[in-house]
Amino acid sequence: MLDAPLSFWLDQTINGVVIGNIYALIAIGLALIFGVANLVNFAHGSVFMIGAYAGWVCITRLHWPLPAAMLTAATLSAIVGVLIERIGLRGLYDKARIAPLLATIGISFTLDQIVQLIFTATPQGFPAPLPEQRIPLGTVSIGLLDVLIAAITVGAALALFGFLRFTRLGWALRAAAQDREAAQQMGVDTDRANMLAFAVASALGGVAGVLVGMYFNSVYTSMSFQATIKGFVANLLGGLGSVSGAILGGILLGLIESYGVALFGASYRNLFSYAMLVLVLVFLPQGLFGARRALPPEPLTGTFVPSGGRVRLPRAMMALTIGAALVPLLSDNPYLLQTLSSAFLFALLALSVTLVTGMAGQTSLGQAGFMAIGGYASALLVMRVGVPFELALLLAALSAALVGSLLMTPVFRLRSQYMAIATLGVGEIVNQVILNWDAVTGGALGLSRIPPPTFLGAPIIAPRDVYWATLVLLVAGGLLAWRMAEAHLGRTWRAIRDDEVAARAFGVNLARYKWLAFLASGFIAGLSGAFTAHTYSYINHETFAVNTSILALTMVILGGMGNLAGAVLGALALTAAPELLRAVADYRYLLYGLVLVLLIRFRPQGLLGTL
Amino acid sequence: MSVAESTLLEAHALHREFGGVVAVRDVSFAVRRGEVVSIIGPNGAGKTTLFNLLTGLDRPDAGRIWFCGHEITALSPERRAALGMARTFQHGRAFGNLTVLENVLLGAHLRQALTAPDSTPLSALRELGAAILKPPAYADEQRRLRHRAFALLQRFGERLTPRAHQPAYTLSYANRRRTEMARALALQPTLLLLDEPTAGMNPTETAEVLDFLKTLKAEGLTLLLIEHKLGLVMELSDRVIVMDNGVVIAEGAPESVRRDPRVVEAYLGHTHWGTPSSESLP
Ligand SMILES: Nc1ncnc2c1ncn2[C@@H]1O[C@H](COP(=O)(O)OP(=O)(O)OP(=O)(O)O)[C@@H](O)[C@H]1O
Ligand SMILES: [Mg+2]
């Protein structure tokens, strides 16, 4: 590869710059919003995706000319952006920073599902309405679309600079970004500044969506999440909240990806962005281009721990467990039993989140990564090494605990929303490594024909047996979590969650207890992942994805932070209930998104309260 | 710089700036074992910043600190706590979702056999194992700690015991401050730093705190106290340090400090003197 002709590298450079321009457009929007509203907008990718679909409808269905399609996409996206700010976020600005982050994640789920309901999940072809002509430049050539993309990015950036520098509104925006309170005293309407930032940012996002659709000749709903991540990494590289940094960061990310893919192969593309996400957040939080702006300090108190409403129900838990154990004797409906079995495995995951997030206060969006380690470890131990399932399950959970918590150690020093994003990155890095470690994991092909779980050698296949096995696992995980919660360990974790500074003043070594929380949490999540792998019989690098982590966190917030019974209740409410109410099953992610948004807004202490 | 036998805490030329604002400028002082020293001064004088430097929650730009004969300037707050420093916070930092009893038990964190502040993976795993398996020694220790914590609550009369199992966020302001004091005592400190322990309390409650602090003094505990209520300061202190604008402007016995013209000047010069302080960073 390294001895490829110069023209090959020039081509890669052009590709990188073009893609980088698109990343820059997305990143500029995120930077504007971060600057003015001080929040990472995870719904930005959804706005971008909506823009892409709007452009696609205008061009392929309505046969409008490109400029009209662009304008429509920008307008529609701007409207959506303003609605997000007005309806979803306005009430959250005075809350801990993790609250609006989670709200935007919920909004993103909701928007993605709505678009999917309208247009289905199948990617739609998007032929660029441009001549296929390429402009020769010495040994290489540039497509018209490449030129258009570069022109639009540069044009948008210049227009934005002009707007920010020379107009009164732009001045208000910059004032609000610099110091909200001072701006308010000078008569700047900061609510309007926020709205304006969302409008401009979202319009740019929508345009980027159309460009990406044309560049890759397709639009699909899941493009939204990747766009958010790429935009955020670009923004991070350039220094969070810096518009000019966002442009440089975008192009840099585009180049790194382009060269990386040329050297290692296309499957490495996302690994680079996730690795950079974690590394830059942890080691270079002010970005690559100087120390203009460090991560804004989080308040010393005020993790996301709403107080109150605690309900304790150990007796009820015992009765419920016995009741649950009897279910298969009353009904042998396999559909019911399967639904409940998978709900139990989810509840186990929710328990793991309760330990690390609910109790220790370390918001983790990387739990699916622990599951993936557990799932792959167990499947490989059984299939390649011939270890019996019962032992493999235990070893897999231990590997998830050890490897997972080790991978998480760099993020211990981050707080609040940055921790959440970095853990998300770690979880995805696990999946990207699985994707690219062909020799061990089977790469993109995944692992198929994983043997079913066994008990004392007898396979667990009948729905009734699977049901009991998952219930036993859940009860075991619950008891384990409860032992820790009731010991001094649970107290120490909750103290860290409530106030890290005060905890340190009493001799609590934060890193030690965060590690223990991730270790315990990784063990339980690993159990869930391992059992899941053997019941699915097929897994790949997408089986345990970010959505799973987000769903698990939603369950924990629904049940009440640090509340073990609440986590189980939340899991059952969000997985079994919609499944059993058939009508809702198709709208599941819509439901998840709405539940998350409404909880954060109206009942952050969840159903059973914070413990 | 020799640390005399009876000196417990010594600060030398401490300096701390926040973006051009000098919060603590060249402050030196010492506290002897068993002594009660009060720090007074107008709002923004740098008292809380000084506490943060002493307890390690903030680092000085220059200067050195000794405690119990060790230099602790570079030590983490955890290590300083392990050496016997406990504190309360000006704006109240009880753990809101922990019960009163749990708050006090957390104060005794370092009194557990398995929780040394310098951590190795192995010691952490041992602690995890004990928490899950609860061997007899562990269970005994936890039971002993609970008894001691409850006894500490009883020192506050009927104020805290009936609420031992309520989460701290449900408490009144005064009771939260008492909880913080009980939590600090649970560490079994050799030096107790109290940042405005009577802020927001009425005269009866203040008198109660004064009595309590006198008892602690009688028991021989060394106290470093920030306080605006001068009556309490004069009655309790062996020595008073007066700060203004980050600088120590006077130091000595309560009576002589009260008559010091520079102190009177500071009184008159500041309208904020003695008013409950505004919300500032801890
Ligand atoms: N973390 C910080 N960042 C910036 N400035 C700070 C910080 N902490 C304290 N200051 C400033 O340092 C000065 C001293 O503050 P400090 O809180 O130590 O005063 P104080 O004597 O405790 O006052 P009070 O009686 O109001 O509690 C003030 O001007 C304050 O604004
Ligand atoms: Mg103070």
Side-chain angles (χ1 to χ4, degrees):
Chain A
M1 219 29 107
L2 283 170
D3 52 8
L6 186 62
S7 66
F8 173 81
W9 291 107
L10 281 177
D11 270 333
Q12 297 312 317
T13 308
I14 292 171
N15 282 344
V17 171
V18 171
I19 279 289
N21 268 292
I22 295 176
Y23 292 162
L25 261 185
I26 304 171
I28 292 173
L30 283 168
L32 257 184
I33 291 172
F34 186 88
V36 176
N38 186 21
L39 69 88
V40 180
N41 177 17
F42 256 70
H44 198 62
S46 302
V47 172
F48 154 96
M49 182 265 297
I50 287 172
Y53 271 89
W56 174 76
V57 168
C58 291
I59 287 168
T60 61
R61 294 290 160 85
L62 305 176
H63 306 289
W64 289 2
L66 184 56
M70 287 278 188
L71 204 64
T72 313
T75 314
L76 184 69
S77 297
I79 292 172
V80 175
V82 168
L83 288 177
I84 291 175
E85 195 277 331
R86 188 71 200 79
I87 300 173
L89 299 173
R90 185 65 60 88
L92 297 175
Y93 290 123
D94 54 345
K95 298 272 163 42
R97 290 295 84 196
I98 189 77
L101 173 75
L102 295 177
T104 60
I105 290 177
I107 292 168
S108 162
F109 267 34
T110 311
L111 292 177
D112 290 1
Q113 174 104 61
I114 290 175
V115 173
Q116 193 168 321
L117 286 173
I118 301 174
F119 294 102
T120 77
T122 333
Q124 310 281 356
F126 193 164
L130 289 173
E132 273 294 321
Q133 209 171 5
R134 295 188 72 81
I135 304 160
L137 268 183
T139 53
V140 293
S141 65
I142 305 184
L144 267 185
L145 183 58
D146 299 345
V147 178
L148 181 70
I149 289 173
I152 287 182
T153 308
V154 172
L158 288 178
L160 187 62
F161 273 121
F163 168 72
L164 289 176
R165 285 267 153 234
F166 302 116
T167 66
R168 208 183 140 65
L169 272 178
W171 170 80
L173 262 189
R174 279 190 297 140
Q178 212 130 79
D179 185 340
R180 258 189 112 63
E181 275 168 28
Q184 271 165 351
Q185 278 159 14
M186 280 151 56
V188 173
D189 181 345
T190 48
D191 279 346
R192 266 193 59 205
N194 279 347
M195 202 188 264
L196 187 66
F198 270 84
V200 174
S202 303
L204 293 177
V207 169
V210 182
L211 293 176
V212 166
M214 294 195 300
Y215 190 76
F216 292 108
N217 289 321
S218 74
V219 291
Y220 47 96
T221 48
S222 53
M223 69 203 280
S224 105
F225 178 71
Q226 283 307 330
T228 304
I229 294 294
K230 298 292 159 75
F232 180 73
V233 174
N235 194 194
L236 199 57
L237 282 173
L240 277 177
S242 151
V243 171
S244 46
I247 297 172
L248 290 174
I251 292 173
L252 186 65
L253 177 61
L255 284 173
I256 293 174
E257 274 192 13
S258 184
Y259 293 142
V261 166
L263 286 172
F264 302 105
S267 60
Y268 278 83
R269 181 182 292 275
N270 292 335
L271 184 57
F272 297 116
S273 18
Y274 288 118
M276 261 185 298
L277 177 76
V278 176
L279 292 177
V280 177
L281 261 179
V282 173
F283 296 109
L284 268 179
Q286 76 282 14
L288 293 179
F289 309 112
R292 214 174 64 83
R293 185 201 272 263
L295 293 186
E298 290 295 326
L300 287 177
T301 50
T303 37
F304 181 69
V305 253
S307 303
R310 62 174 71 190
V311 180
R312 279 176 193 265
L313 17 93
R315 284 253 175 68
M317 283 315 282
M318 207 114 92
L320 283 174
T321 308
I322 294 170
L326 298 178
V327 166
L329 303 179
L330 304 175
S331 158
D332 57 358
N333 176 348
Y335 176 72
L336 174 76
L337 295 180
Q338 277 159 9
T339 304
L340 287 175
S341 305
S342 84
F344 291 159
L345 290 173
F346 243 118
L348 205 53
L349 182 68
L351 279 179
S352 84
V353 179
T354 285
L355 286 179
V356 77
T357 305
M359 274 183 210
Q362 311 302 306
T363 310
S364 171
L365 290 176
Q367 297 300 109
F370 291 142
M371 269 186 111
I373 299 174
Y376 269 87
S378 176
L380 290 171
L381 281 170
V382 171
M383 292 162 71
R384 303 270 157 83
V385 189
V387 175
F389 168 79
E390 296 84 337
L391 181 60
L393 183 69
L394 197 66
L395 293 177
L398 284 174
S399 334
L402 287 172
V403 177
S405 62
L406 194 69
L407 289 176
M408 288 293 182
T409 44
V411 314
F412 290 171
R413 64 173 91 173
L414 298 175
R415 280 167 185 273
S416 192
Q417 55 177 344
Y418 305 111
M419 167 143 229
I421 295 170
T423 52
L424 183 155
V426 171
E428 278 309 285
I429 286 173
V430 169
N431 280 326
Q432 295 298 322
V433 168
I434 288 173
L435 171 64
N436 288 295
W437 198 5
D438 289 16
V440 173
T441 63
L445 291 177
L447 290 179
S448 44
R449 275 181 282 154
I450 304 171
T454 56
F455 178 64
L456 302 179
I460 305 175
I461 297 172
R464 176 184 290 195
D465 297 343
V466 174
Y467 177 91
W468 273 321
T470 49
L471 184 62
V472 166
L473 220 50
L474 175 59
V475 170
L479 284 176
L480 187 65
W482 177 71
R483 293 288 280 188
M484 291 184 277
E486 293 294 308
H488 78 288
L489 205 53
R491 176 169 79 225
T492 314
W493 281 334
R494 285 156 56 228
I496 292 173
R497 173 193 68 186
D498 277 13
D499 191 336
E500 289 196 354
V501 174
R504 288 191 79 186
F506 286 92
V508 175
N509 181 326
L510 299 181
R512 171 179 175 122
Y513 292 97
K514 289 181 186 182
W515 179 64
L516 284 178
F518 274 107
L519 192 75
S521 158
F523 183 84
I524 293 179
L527 275 185
S528 173
F531 202 89
T532 304
H534 290 270
T535 49
Y536 281 12
S537 90
Y538 171 74
I539 54 174
N540 67 13
H541 67 282
E542 287 173 338
T543 309
F544 308 103
V546 180
N547 279 359
T548 307
S549 302
I550 295 172
L551 181 52
L553 182 61
T554 309
M555 292 165 177
V556 167
I557 298 175
L558 177 63
M561 285 292 202
N563 193 319
L564 297 174
V568 176
L569 182 74
L572 293 179
L574 288 184
T575 52
E579 193 64 44
L580 297 175
L581 306 169
R582 280 299 183 90
V584 197
D586 287 342
Y587 305 91
R588 188 180 318 193
Y589 276 88
L590 193 66
L591 175 80
Y592 296 160
L594 285 177
V595 166
L596 188 54
V597 175
L598 293 175
L599 273 174
I600 303 274
R601 187 80 179 75
F602 297 108
R603 199 172 159 82
Q605 70 274 38
L607 293 178
L608 298 191
T610 306
L611 275 185
Chain B
M1 173 100 349
S2 79
V3 179
E5 186 58 26
S6 66
T7 303
L8 181 62
L9 174 76
E10 179 156 356
H12 178 70
L14 290 179
H15 194 87
R16 181 69 172 117
E17 294 184 22
F18 296 105
V21 180
V22 183
V24 169
R25 187 194 298 273
D26 198 24
V27 169
S28 304
F29 67 95
V31 178
R32 285 188 302 275
R33 282 181 198 276
E35 207 181 10
V36 175
V37 177
S38 291
I39 302 175
I40 62 172
N43 294 143
K47 307 179 296 291
T48 298
T49 304
L50 181 62
F51 262 30
N52 288 342
L53 297 178
L54 295 175
T55 51
L57 296 178
D58 193 8
R59 289 294 156 97
D61 301 317
R64 302 168 72 180
I65 309 166
W66 291 263
F67 179 63
C68 292
H70 304 276
E71 169 154 17
I72 59 165
T73 319
L75 290 191
S76 65
E78 299 91 285
R79 303 293 297 275
R80 296 186 201 198
L83 287 175
M85 264 194 194
R87 71 173 287 180
T88 65
F89 294 88
Q90 178 175 1
H91 299 292
R93 300 189 89 144
F95 302 107
N97 286 296
L98 268 58
T99 64
V100 172
L101 191 66
E102 285 176 322
N103 265 283
V104 179
L105 283 167
L106 198 283
H109 179 77
L110 289 166
R111 300 274 85 82
Q112 303 168 113
L114 291 168
T115 56
D118 28 16
S119 172
T120 63
L122 216 61
S123 74
L125 286 177
R126 217 174 300 131
E127 185 182 342
L128 180 69
I132 295 171
L133 301 173
K134 301 193 173 65
Y138 174 87
D140 281 350
E141 179 187 57
Q142 291 297 318
R143 209 171 305 121
R144 257 201 326 278
L145 288 176
R146 286 178 85 83
H147 281 305
R148 261 200 35 223
F150 219 87
L152 261 175
L153 293 184
Q154 279 165 343
R155 296 192 66 169
F156 293 83
E158 282 299 292
R159 298 286 194 181
L160 293 181
T161 37
R163 301 177 177 83
H165 299 291
Q166 285 178 21
Y169 75 89
T170 62
L171 299 179
S172 70
Y173 186 74
N175 274 337
R176 251 179 279 172
R177 315 230 45 157
R178 293 187 185 101
T179 303
E180 266 203 75
M181 235 183 280
R183 178 178 71 181
L185 287 171
L187 184 106
Q188 298 179 329
T190 36
L191 173 66
L192 177 58
L193 300 99
L194 300 164
D195 196 343
E196 299 194 24
T198 69
M201 289 191 180
N202 64 30
T204 322
E205 292 167 336
T206 304
E208 226 176 87
V209 171
L210 174 59
D211 280 345
F212 187 66
L213 295 182
K214 278 180 178 166
T215 324
L216 294 180
K217 182 180 178 177
E219 289 166 8
L221 183 59
T222 314
L223 294 176
L224 190 56
L225 176 75
I226 296 176
E227 189 48 74
H228 279 309
K229 292 181 179 152
L230 291 186
L232 184 147
V233 169
M234 295 301 158
E235 196 170 340
L236 187 69
S237 313
D238 299 316
R239 211 145 48 82
V240 178
I241 297 172
V242 189
M243 284 181 75
D244 189 16
N245 278 323
V247 187
V248 174
I249 56 168
E251 181 179 346
E255 278 314 305
S256 69
V257 162
R258 203 215 276 276
R259 282 189 292 271
D260 191 307
R262 284 164 302 182
V263 179
V264 177
E265 164 74 16
Y267 267 95
L268 298 175
H270 289 275
T271 47
H272 292 311
W273 181 271
T275 54
S277 47
S278 57
E279 205 64 26
S280 69
L281 285 171

